[in-house]
Amino acid sequence: MRELIVYAEQKGGMLVDVSLEMMAQAVQLSHRINGTISAILIGDSCGYNADELICHGAHKVYLVEDKRLALYQNAATAKVVADILSVQSPEIVLIGGTSVGTDVAARVAARLRTGLTAHCIDLSIEEIDGEDQLVQTVPGWGGRMSVKIVCPQRRPQIVTIRPGVMEKGDPDPTRRGDLIPVMPVLTEDDFGARTLAFVEEKTKAGSLDDARIIVSGGFGLYGSGGFRLIEALADVVNGEIAGTRPAVDHGWIEEERLIGQSGKNVRPRLFISIGTSGAMHYTTGFSRAQVVVAIDRNASAPIFDVAHIGIVGDLNRIIPCIIKELTKEALPERTRS
Amino acid sequence: MNIVACVKQVPDTEALIKVKADGSGIEEGGIKWVMSPYDEFGVEEALKTKEKFGGEVTIVSIGPARTMETVRTALAMGAEKGIHIDDPALYNADAYATASALAAAIKGIPHDIIFCGMRAIDDDSGQVGSILAELLGLPSVTVITKLDIEGSTAKAIKPIEGAQLLIETSLPCVITAQKGLNEPRYASLPGIMKAKKKPVEVKKAADLGLTVEQKSTVAKMSPPPARPPGKIIQGDDPAAKAAEVIRLLREEAKVI
Ligand SMILES: Cc1cc2nc3c(=O)[nH]c(=O)nc-3n(C[C@H](O)[C@H](O)[C@H](O)COP(=O)(O)OP(=O)(O)OC[C@H]3O[C@@H](n4cnc5c(N)ncnc54)[C@H](O)[C@@H]3O)c2cc1C
């Protein structure tokens, strides 16, 4: 049977979201190629995460536990993963397009002399020249192109998946899978670069990932002295704030709240973009938002090409009206409680 | 210290990119070509390293004749010499083939530390530095914002989502540069004049003993799927427009 393998990345002892997003993707692909799904779990003692992977569709979990791998070590991790892949010869390997995933994936692919497609936003199986091929879609040229890539000869086909572009599946606790302990073969040479410390940063930006509503601002807020209006609007709609590169550069928001190619990919139900021209670098970051509202005074700004609802006008006049309209209706309820 | 910096020439970020009619690539006419911005951070760090420890910076780049301009830019910033790999077999190379060519060139010269950008801004793949390290059998520290070299080791900071990794590496190694590592200098006028006389070797894949092996192929390029045109709320009265957007969000989209 053909095997699909997911590299299950963890951070601070927990599976990162994209690990489960990839499991859902693997489940879909496995139906098409009639394959089995395995996950690779690497750490010091991390076996407790295996159940979650199994509930999300893993038939097997290769568990590598080693004190030297308590922190992420790039070359050693790549060796361990590549060794498992050499033995298993899977058809497809999915790795998260996170900082760590991107780092390890390239080394794994190089070790196996196979191709790697980075930051895929979509995967499908298509028959090409009589064979099932994994068609990998990536945004190229700053998101201005969509590029489909295939890896016709070499196996496995390795891809990294952009975090946040695929949906997690629902866990099914009745599922059963096998835990397969794997002894890593590592020498001192595999630690030429060694991670000495993992320092968590205290930010609230994690909340952007699950935010239902995001209010995002850009350079257009310059005239009103920064993010005061964005914050006020976010407050009444119970949303999170975010912004463009200039908003970060002016210190109105933290780097963690940057949306786009160099920042976050978000998937809220409602994304309100205010005073932003709509550069592709930025708009790729919210292409999966359910509804996009844009407010900008320039009627020909490209942001209106990606907005479902657009308002052309001065944000300094429109936002206060929106806030007033929303609070006007909310007021009676507040007085009641 | 023998320092190498790899650079790629890419279309200017403001360039309007058009796909060729057959979807096989992009139309190159009218594009302005520049050094990929992350490579500028790599070149700057290479120059700072040289200024601190002495030695030489060699620039390595792959691409058609126009690429020479980008090599000269790096020389004008202060690098000593260049290797320009110009071979049609590599013009549309994937990351693996690119890294193989860089590795073949770098193997032939002394190297204590190799800098790359974290990714090129055209294909965004972000793999070349890591593959290069693997092919040369060297450690790699990628996407870093801080580097301190001390003797034969270096310490680097790699930001990851919501955290930072502190990494120590032995030299030689491959480093890939992220925004924040430094502020790249501009080429000075005397620098530009001097760059014209600095040596640049032009090589073909065969000169490097390389047979180009492409691992993946681009099946098709297309503009991203267009969304249906949105609804623009018309009118002069901001209050009326505000009321209308709220109505749409509540009653039609049902998102608030
Ligand atoms: C490699 C690379 C990666 C990048 N990655 C990112 C990224 O991840 N995220 C990102 O955001 N950017 C990124 N950028 C930058 C990006 O290209 C744009 O420069 C940036 O998104 C523009 O931000 P902006 O829309 O806020 O500013 P601008 O383009 O200056 O737009 C400001 C808008 O505000 C409007 N405006 C001004 N005043 C008012 C008013 N009173 N009322 C209403 N509207 C008003 C203007 O009409 C204009 O449309 C990247 C660039 C490069 C080269």
Side-chain angles (χ1 to χ4, degrees):
Chain A
M1 215 97 87
R2 294 195 276 188
E3 187 176 12
L4 287 105
I5 297 188
V6 173
Y7 169 68
E9 184 183 333
Q10 306 155 88
K11 199 170 68 190
M14 303 272 289
L15 290 171
V16 300
D17 284 342
V18 70
S19 297
L20 298 178
E21 292 163 15
M22 290 188 292
M23 289 305 301
Q25 180 75 36
V27 168
Q28 278 176 26
L29 294 172
S30 71
H31 295 322
R32 267 300 310 268
I33 64 165
N34 188 23
T36 63
I37 302 169
S38 311
I40 299 178
L41 193 56
I42 299 175
D44 176 4
S45 51
C46 55
Y48 57 88
N49 279 324
D51 274 347
E52 195 170 357
L53 293 165
I54 291 168
C55 293
H56 279 86
H59 302 106
K60 286 192 281 187
V61 176
Y62 302 111
L63 177 63
V64 183
E65 291 183 311
D66 188 309
K67 288 229 167 344
R68 294 169 293 180
L69 299 173
L71 293 175
Y72 165 69
Q73 305 293 351
N74 66 355
T77 304
K79 176 159 197 306
V80 169
V81 172
D83 285 350
I84 294 173
L85 300 183
S86 302
V87 174
Q88 296 301 321
S89 307
E91 191 69 17
I92 295 171
V93 178
L94 307 182
I95 300 178
T98 55
S99 303
V100 159
T102 308
D103 189 47
V104 77
R107 290 199 78 119
V108 170
R111 289 190 86 97
L112 298 176
R113 305 284 184 267
T114 186
L116 162 64
T117 303
H119 305 303
C120 290
I121 52 170
D122 194 28
L123 292 176
S124 63
I125 307 278
E126 283 173 32
E127 207 186 292
I128 299 175
D129 300 333
E131 253 200 82
D132 280 347
Q133 299 274 2
L134 182 68
V135 177
Q136 309 144 22
T137 306
V138 297
W141 309 94
R144 285 170 287 189
M145 288 303 140
S146 131
V147 183
K148 289 190 190 304
I149 294 175
V150 291
C151 181
Q153 270 110 36
R154 292 296 184 134
R155 293 291 180 269
Q157 306 162 89
I158 307 185
V159 298
T160 64
I161 305 288
R162 257 202 104 135
V165 299
M166 290 168 187
E167 299 275 354
K168 270 189 230 176
D170 292 323
D172 174 356
T174 66
R175 299 205 38 169
R176 292 290 168 262
D178 296 324
L179 199 60
I180 301 170
V182 176
M183 283 299 278
V185 183
L186 294 170
T187 68
E188 212 27 49
D189 285 348
D190 299 309
F191 295 88
R194 189 189 297 274
T195 305
L196 305 175
F198 165 86
V199 187
E200 208 145 359
E201 284 171 346
K202 305 231 176 325
T203 69
K204 299 159 278 153
S207 46
L208 277 184
D209 292 331
D210 332 294
R212 290 162 68 87
I213 299 182
I214 294 176
V215 185
S216 175
F219 187 63
L221 274 305
Y222 192 75
S224 47
F227 255 40
R228 192 180 47 83
L229 281 172
I230 298 286
E231 281 159 11
L233 178 58
D235 213 32
V236 287
V237 295
N238 219 345
E240 291 290 332
I241 62 166
T244 62
R245 172 54 69 194
V248 174
D249 290 347
H250 283 87
W252 300 332
I253 48 166
E254 308 106 301
E255 180 87 33
E256 287 77 23
R257 291 182 180 269
L258 172 67
I259 301 293
Q261 182 183 314
S262 355
K264 287 217 153 219
N265 243 309
V266 293
R267 203 172 37 194
R269 286 168 57 117
L270 174 60
F271 189 89
I272 308 179
S273 190
I274 301 172
T276 61
S277 58
M280 281 288 187
H281 299 116
Y282 167 63
T283 58
T284 47
F286 56 91
S287 59
R288 298 272 169 136
Q290 200 178 319
V291 176
V292 175
V293 174
I295 303 173
D296 200 285
R297 70 175 175 201
N298 174 5
S300 53
I303 190 71
F304 292 117
D305 299 339
V306 298
H308 302 96
I309 304 173
I311 306 179
V312 179
D314 184 351
L315 65 90
N316 296 300
R317 300 186 58 203
I318 291 168
I319 302 180
C321 290
I322 295 178
I323 293 173
K324 210 155 117 198
E325 189 74 24
L326 285 167
T327 38
K328 179 170 80 190
E329 292 169 39
L331 267 179
E333 272 179 40
R334 281 201 194 146
T335 31
R336 264 204 305 272
S337 61
Chain B
M1 186 142 30
N2 296 295
I3 304 159
V4 177
C6 304
V7 302
K8 181 177 185 183
Q9 193 184 45
V10 297
D12 181 31
T13 51
E14 302 299 317
L16 193 65
I17 308 287
K18 286 206 196 80
V19 186
K20 282 189 194 155
D22 63 0
S24 67
I26 61 154
E27 298 275 9
E28 290 205 355
I31 289 177
K32 184 173 162 233
W33 297 88
V34 298
M35 188 188 304
S36 184
Y38 297 106
D39 297 347
E40 291 181 359
F41 300 122
V43 172
E44 176 61 33
E45 202 64 19
L47 296 173
K48 282 171 66 179
T49 305
K50 175 188 74 176
E51 284 154 8
K52 196 156 168 201
F53 300 99
E56 276 192 336
V57 176
T58 305
I59 302 299
V60 186
S61 190
I62 305 174
R66 58 170 156 75
T67 307
M68 185 61 92
E69 215 179 297
T70 294
V71 175
R72 294 275 175 217
T73 303
L75 298 178
M77 287 168 74
E80 274 62 34
K81 54 190 180 191
I83 300 175
H84 172 194
I85 308 166
D86 181 352
D87 194 316
L90 288 164
Y91 290 173
N92 288 311
D94 65 10
Y96 188 90
T98 302
S100 309
L102 295 173
I106 293 167
K107 262 184 202 146
I109 57 174
H111 50 271
D112 297 310
I113 188 161
I114 303 163
F115 292 96
C116 298
M118 61 174 269
R119 64 167 189 242
I121 60 158
D122 51 0
D123 57 20
D124 269 340
S125 91
Q127 313 170 25
V128 168
S130 300
I131 300 175
L132 176 63
E134 195 67 53
L135 295 177
L136 292 172
L138 297 180
S140 57
V141 189
T142 63
V143 198
I144 64 155
T145 53
K146 193 167 190 311
L147 182 70
D148 284 312
I149 302 175
E150 259 177 60
S152 61
T153 63
K155 280 198 177 125
I157 289 182
K158 173 181 175 67
I160 65 172
E161 298 77 7
Q164 289 192 332
L165 301 180
L166 172 63
I167 301 172
E168 185 175 57
T169 180
S170 55
L171 300 187
C173 65
V174 176
I175 300 287
T176 80
Q178 156 73 310
K179 186 176 150 89
L181 182 60
N182 53 44
E183 281 294 331
R185 67 196 67 187
Y186 289 101
S188 65
L189 201 55
I192 295 171
M193 299 313 290
K194 269 193 237 158
K196 292 185 177 148
K197 297 202 194 73
K198 292 181 176 170
V200 180
E201 283 179 78
V202 181
K203 301 207 172 188
K204 294 250 174 281
D207 301 334
L208 300 168
L210 190 73
T211 36
V212 177
E213 197 197 344
Q214 189 94 347
K215 303 296 179 188
S216 39
T217 46
V218 170
K220 196 171 179 300
M221 277 186 155
S222 52
R227 290 197 197 184
K231 184 176 201 143
I232 300 283
I233 300 173
Q234 307 286 352
D236 291 327
D237 176 12
K241 287 196 277 197
E244 175 63 3
V245 71
I246 290 164
R247 189 192 68 77
L248 287 171
L249 291 176
R250 283 217 172 109
E251 293 169 20
E252 288 187 18
K254 297 193 169 54
V255 287
I256 55 170

